[in-house]
Amino acid sequence: MKTIKTLLSLVLGASAMMGCLNNTDNYQAGFPLLATKYTYRYANNTRDTLLIMSYGRWSLERTSSGGEWCVPAIMQGNANTDYRVCFNFSQNSTGYQRSASFQIKDVEHANDAYANFSITQLATRGDGSLGNAPLVKKIAGTDGSLIEISYDEVCRPLTFKLSKNNTILNNLVFGYDDTQDIMTVTINGGRQLKASYANDYQPIESLGDDGEKIAYREQDYFNLTHSHYAFNIEHRLGNGTYSGYSYLLESASQLLPDKLHNADSLRYTSGKDKEVTETLAMKPTYSQNDNRCQSVDVNQLLLGVERCNPYMLLSLFRAARNTSIFDVVKVTGKPDIRFTTTLNGDKSVSELTVAQDNESITYTFTY
């Protein structure tokens, strides 16, 4: 009987088979390393890397049709050699998760050592929008506000300009170093904020410098002592000024990519140093309209452009992007805020009216 050792270390759902043949030759067959670089591949990703080490010469083959969007750079390799095989793929504009299926096998012992695996690409981009969602180029408000946005070839924001009555409130230019995975944001042509990112192109925890920081913060004590999950998106300036949102959800698992999630409650807080100047406790109900059908998070227009965090509007902190567009947001001690949404044929937002008491603002979206 042949002695066969099949070892497998995977993060991509492959399976290995072992078998015995009726002679006395001894050999090793199997894959001590078979893993992808990334756990998730987002709709606007165009590559991943498969790490391979095999005891014998190996080959790859497709096991189903429909996965032609995913193309390995090589399909075979030698024994006892570490390989980093680039898988190139197109952006996923289907609006649905998709998979490409493969089998890797030991060429000399194909019946004894092989593994089936799939490369899966998510329905959503790194910012939480669907891969087929159109890119918002302009938002014009009846309050005199104007938001202008441009993007690169993988749907990441390049420029963001927010003005009101011809006065510029925010002017941001984004740069991406994909060799070092560093994002740079230049503010008003001067100061720069930086962040590391993974393949979702989102800041890892925070974006900032010594004078300004936008950060994702878990509410650690609350999460340890309650069954729900809470976090903050905080924007702090070097002069002590701060603003931020707190989100309460059923569980952290709702924030996994492609999962549907809507916060149970929200809190907006602003102030300076230890002084709180404004706190709004809010309880939203949600419409049937999908907030993933355009590139920006339209819920961030809830409190008007003056209190709109541009990084959250661009959904650079995906966890804060509720899946559904608000319907009515009840505000403790204040009148309700009501959303009225008109959609385009592709379900993206055409017009959004945000009304509180007798005041309303209508935002018109251009793609």
Side-chain angles (χ1 to χ4, degrees):
M1 178 178 288
K2 293 185 177 182
T3 301
I4 305 170
K5 295 181 180 179
T6 304
L7 305 176
L8 198 58
S9 174
L10 289 178
V11 296
L12 42 71
S15 58
M17 300 295 294
M18 295 191 301
C20 294
L21 299 180
N22 56 5
N23 62 45
T24 58
D25 295 337
N26 292 326
Y27 63 84
Q28 285 184 315
F31 311 97
L33 176 62
L34 187 62
T36 51
K37 179 179 179 180
Y38 297 117
T39 303
Y40 299 105
R41 286 151 293 278
Y42 294 86
N44 56 332
N45 290 156
T46 58
R47 63 177 58 87
D48 196 0
T49 301
L50 180 66
L51 311 176
I52 302 173
M53 210 287 277
S54 173
Y55 287 125
R57 289 192 303 117
W58 58 268
S59 66
L60 274 176
E61 64 179 26
R62 294 185 184 276
T63 55
S64 65
S65 60
E68 289 74 19
W69 54 268
C70 179
V71 181
I74 60 173
M75 299 288 283
Q76 58 188 6
N78 296 318
N80 299 310
T81 304
D82 289 327
Y83 284 89
R84 298 173 60 88
V85 179
C86 182
F87 276 65
N88 295 296
F89 33 88
S90 59
Q91 294 186 55
N92 183 4
S93 59
T94 66
Y96 300 94
Q97 191 177 113
R98 63 182 180 180
S99 296
S101 300
F102 296 89
Q103 183 181 92
I104 186 171
K105 60 186 177 183
D106 184 302
V107 173
E108 276 80 26
H109 309 290
N111 292 327
D112 302 324
Y114 63 87
N116 298 305
F117 65 91
S118 295
I119 300 292
T120 299
Q121 191 177 28
L122 296 167
T124 51
R125 301 173 183 136
D127 64 6
S129 63
L130 290 167
N132 60 355
L135 305 179
V136 175
K137 305 293 181 59
K138 185 183 297 185
I139 307 172
T142 54
D143 61 344
S145 61
L146 179 64
I147 298 169
E148 299 170 284
I149 312 169
S150 67
Y151 305 82
D152 68 7
E153 65 279 359
V154 290
C155 307
R156 301 178 296 193
L158 284 177
T159 61
F160 177 94
K161 183 183 289 186
L162 166 60
S163 61
K164 187 169 183 181
N165 298 321
N166 298 317
T167 299
I168 295 176
L169 304 181
N170 292 104
N171 189 6
L172 311 177
V173 177
F174 294 80
Y176 305 91
D177 181 346
D178 290 329
T179 60
Q180 301 294 321
D181 293 339
I182 298 293
M183 174 192 302
T184 302
V185 183
T186 303
I187 302 175
N188 299 324
R191 191 175 76 256
Q192 290 188 332
L193 310 182
K194 293 184 180 292
S196 298
Y197 59 84
N199 68 323
D200 59 359
Y201 311 126
Q202 300 260 295
I204 297 175
E205 292 189 353
S206 67
L207 168 69
D209 62 6
D210 292 338
E212 181 175 1
K213 183 169 289 187
I214 306 95
Y216 173 94
R217 305 290 189 201
E218 292 184 308
Q219 294 187 24
D220 293 331
Y221 180 76
F222 178 91
N223 294 336
L224 285 172
T225 56
H226 293 76
S227 60
H228 288 44
Y229 178 75
F231 66 90
N232 302 338
I233 306 295
E234 302 173 359
H235 190 172
R236 296 182 179 273
L237 299 177
N239 64 4
T241 302
Y242 66 88
S243 63
Y245 274 96
S246 300
Y247 285 71
L248 178 66
L249 287 86
E250 286 292 326
S251 70
S253 65
Q254 291 180 290
L255 299 178
L256 292 173
D258 276 6
K259 288 283 190 179
L260 304 181
H261 70 276
N262 287 324
D264 179 73
S265 60
L266 304 169
R267 184 181 296 272
Y268 174 81
T269 306
S270 62
K272 185 172 183 179
D273 299 324
K274 295 183 179 181
E275 181 183 357
V276 176
T277 56
E278 183 179 27
T279 297
L280 298 174
M282 295 175 281
K283 179 78 171 179
T285 58
Y286 295 88
S287 70
Q288 297 299 310
N289 300 320
D290 194 331
N291 192 29
R292 303 172 301 164
C293 292
Q294 64 286 315
S295 57
V296 302
D297 177 2
V298 302
N299 286 335
Q300 298 303 326
L301 295 169
L302 174 68
L303 301 177
V305 297
E306 290 89 350
R307 288 179 288 181
C308 176
N309 183 324
Y311 306 100
M312 295 175 71
L313 180 66
L314 293 170
S315 202
L316 291 187
F317 295 87
R318 183 179 62 246
R321 184 182 189 132
N322 293 310
T323 301
S324 301
I325 298 174
F326 294 142
D327 181 20
V328 177
V329 179
K330 293 187 176 298
V331 186
T332 301
K334 294 181 179 294
D336 296 347
I337 302 174
R338 298 182 178 276
F339 275 49
T340 303
T341 309
T342 302
L343 302 182
N344 295 309
D346 59 5
K347 299 184 180 180
S348 62
V349 174
S350 173
E351 284 190 349
L352 174 69
T353 298
V354 182
Q356 186 175 30
D357 207 4
N358 294 321
E359 297 182 1
S360 68
I361 304 168
T362 296
Y363 300 96
T364 301
F365 291 69
T366 303
Y367 297 86

